[in-house]
Amino acid sequence: MHETVSSLHGASLSIAAFLKQPAAWKDCLLGALCFSADAPANPAQADAELPFLHVAMPRLGADTSFCEVWHGSGELTQGQCGDIRYRHDDAALFGVIELSETLFDVGADKTPLQQATESAYRQVFALLDTLHYPYLFRFWNYIADINAHSFGLERYRQFNLGRQDAFLAHGRDVAGNAPAACALGSARGPLRIAFLAGRALPLSIENPRQISACQYPQEYGPRSPTFARASLVRLPQEELLFVSGTASIVGHASLHPGDVLAQTGETMANIEAVLAEANPLASQPVFNLAMLDYKVYLRRPADLTLIRGELERIVSAPPKAVYLQADICREDLLLEIEATAAHPLIFMAGQWD
Ligand code: 3EB
C-alpha cells in the first residue's frame, strides 16, 4: 500500500507564467481557474486535458492576469464526463464545466439559464457519485449578466432556481451543510463553474451576523441560494478553510448602499465573524485575516484604491489579495470578497506563492 499524501493547495501566478511552466509541473495540478479580460492567446497550450476554467474578468491594479492553480499529490487521474473535465488524486477532485444557455429551450417552463444551471449541477453530482468523491468543498460560479432580468426574473435568481433543483434532485441538503461558494457576474460567456470535492466530510460554517443564505426570504428570489459561509476541510495532512464570497450583508439585508468604504468594512467584519466560528473547530494555528488569500471582486474599477486601502488598514499588513472586476449578485452590492487558507497538520508539501 502506498501512503496517501494529501497536500491539496492553491497558488497563484499569471497566465503567461502558467503557460510557460514545464509539462511536469502541469502534470501535478488538479486544475486551474484563470482570470483575464481576454481569453489566453493559446488556451490549448494550457493543456487540453487539464481542467482549466478561463473566466472573462479583468484583473485590476496589476499588469498581469491571474491564475489560481490547485495542486494535487501522488498519482493524478483525469477524465471528461459529459460537459465536465476533471482531475483527481486520492483525496480530492477538481472539475470545471462550461455550459451555454443557447443549448436550452426558450419555450420550456424553466428559463435557459435555469436549465443550464440545473444540468451543470446535476452532472457534477452524478460524477461525484460515480467516482466516490461525495463531499463538495467549494463551488465557483460565474454567470454572464448576473443582474440582468429576463423571463421576468433576475438572472442570478434563475441560477438559484436551477442550482437548488439539482441539489434536491440528488438528495443533497439545501438547508445546512451546503458547500462554500461564490457567484459573480462576468461580461459575457457561457455559465462557468469550477468545483473542488473530496472524500473527507467538510464542516459547513455559518456566520452569526448573517442569516444562512439557505434561508434568505422570498424578496431575494423564489429560491434561496445554496451555500454555506465557509467550509472547513480536514485532509490527512492539512486543513483548508474556504470562505465563501462575502459581502456587506447583515441579517439578510444589504447595508451601506453606495458607500464602498463602509461596505468593505462590513464585509471584513463578516469574514472575521466566519473565522471566529471556524477557529474553535480548526486545529492550531488558528486562521486569521493576515494569513488568508483573498479574491476581491469589485463592481466599479474606480473603487480599487479605496477598497485596497481599507483592506490594508483592516488586515494591518499588505493582504495577499487579487482584485477582479465583476458584477455582484445584488444590484446594491459594490464588492464581494472570498478567501482561502490552509495550514499543515503535519507538514506543508509546497508553498503558497
Ligand atoms: C451573499 O452573501 C452574497 O449564490 O453561491 C456570496 C457567496 C453570494 C455565494 C452564491 C452568493 C453566493 O448572499 C452573494
Side-chain angles (χ1 to χ4, degrees):
M1 264 302 280
H2 69 279
E3 190 192 356
T4 303
V5 181
S6 307
S7 69
L8 179 67
H9 70 279
S12 71
L13 72 177
S14 70
I15 293 178
F18 178 92
L19 294 174
K20 274 194 227 120
Q21 297 291 324
W25 179 84
K26 286 178 200 152
D27 287 347
C28 299
L29 297 183
L30 291 174
L33 294 128
C34 293
F35 300 82
S36 67
D38 304 308
N42 186 356
Q45 248 187 300
D47 188 339
E49 305 298 327
L50 186 72
F52 176 94
L53 192 70
H54 179 260
V55 182
M57 274 184 190
R59 180 175 182 184
L60 302 173
D63 294 334
T64 61
S65 51
F66 166 69
C67 292
E68 171 176 348
V69 297
W70 285 93
H71 293 261
S73 54
E75 204 170 317
L76 303 187
T77 304
Q78 68 196 18
Q80 172 142 17
C81 182
D83 299 298
I84 302 176
R85 282 174 300 133
Y86 63 87
R87 240 189 217 180
H88 65 77
D89 61 17
D90 283 346
L93 180 148
F94 178 86
V96 301
I97 180 164
E98 294 185 55
L99 210 43
S100 169
E101 294 162 51
T102 59
L103 298 170
F104 296 88
D105 184 4
V106 286
D109 60 347
K110 299 174 175 181
T111 75
L113 175 59
Q114 179 182 352
Q115 293 172 67
T117 307
E118 184 175 341
S119 169
Y121 272 83
R122 279 175 175 261
Q123 289 187 50
V124 172
F125 296 144
L127 175 75
L128 297 180
D129 288 347
T130 303
L131 297 181
H132 308 293
Y133 292 81
Y135 304 113
L136 262 321
F137 300 165
R138 210 251 193 249
F139 277 109
W140 291 260
N141 301 294
Y142 300 102
I143 305 157
D145 277 325
I146 195 169
N147 299 128
H149 289 251
S150 63
F151 304 95
L153 196 62
E154 188 188 26
R155 284 168 54 77
Y156 174 59
R157 299 175 182 200
Q158 298 175 29
F159 164 85
N160 278 323
L161 278 165
R163 174 169 57 178
Q164 201 186 86
D165 277 341
F167 270 74
L168 292 170
H170 281 261
R172 291 191 172 252
D173 198 347
V174 297
N177 301 310
C182 62
L184 283 309
S186 59
R188 60 182 183 283
L191 174 66
R192 294 190 168 105
I193 299 172
F195 57 97
L196 262 172
R199 291 179 166 152
L201 174 70
L203 293 175
S204 295
I205 291 161
E206 290 295 333
N207 177 351
R209 302 179 85 237
Q210 302 182 305
I211 72 167
S212 166
C214 305
Q215 286 158 16
Y216 281 166
Q218 287 270 320
E219 63 189 277
Y220 302 101
R223 229 50 105 53
S224 302
T226 310
F227 70 95
R229 300 302 175 181
S231 65
L232 181 66
V233 179
R234 184 171 287 190
L235 297 175
Q237 301 198 15
E238 72 175 329
E239 193 168 59
L240 294 107
L241 181 68
F242 297 99
V243 179
S244 291
T246 305
S248 177
I249 294 174
V250 175
H252 57 72
S254 308
L255 294 193
H256 319 298
D259 184 342
V260 71
L261 276 184
Q263 286 201 16
T264 307
E266 205 70 69
T267 299
M268 292 306 288
N270 279 329
I271 291 180
E272 274 199 273
V274 169
L275 294 186
E277 291 296 295
N279 277 331
L281 306 169
S283 63
Q284 298 290 321
V286 296
F287 295 107
N288 61 51
L289 289 183
M291 74 195 287
L292 297 180
D293 282 86
Y294 296 94
K295 276 211 287 303
V296 182
Y297 301 97
L298 47 145
R299 190 184 284 279
R300 307 184 303 208
D303 289 335
L304 172 66
T305 309
L306 279 178
I307 292 174
R308 189 165 51 193
E310 191 63 359
L311 208 59
E312 282 172 14
R313 192 183 67 74
I314 293 166
V315 178
S316 59
K320 294 180 281 178
V322 173
Y323 299 85
L324 300 164
Q325 189 197 351
D327 291 332
I328 318 301
C329 66
R330 290 185 189 180
E331 203 87 62
D332 49 8
L333 294 173
L334 296 172
L335 73 150
E336 180 173 312
I337 303 180
E338 63 185 47
T340 306
H343 54 215
L345 293 174
I346 299 170
F347 67 90
M348 186 72 163
Q351 284 292 313
W352 289 78
D353 280 354

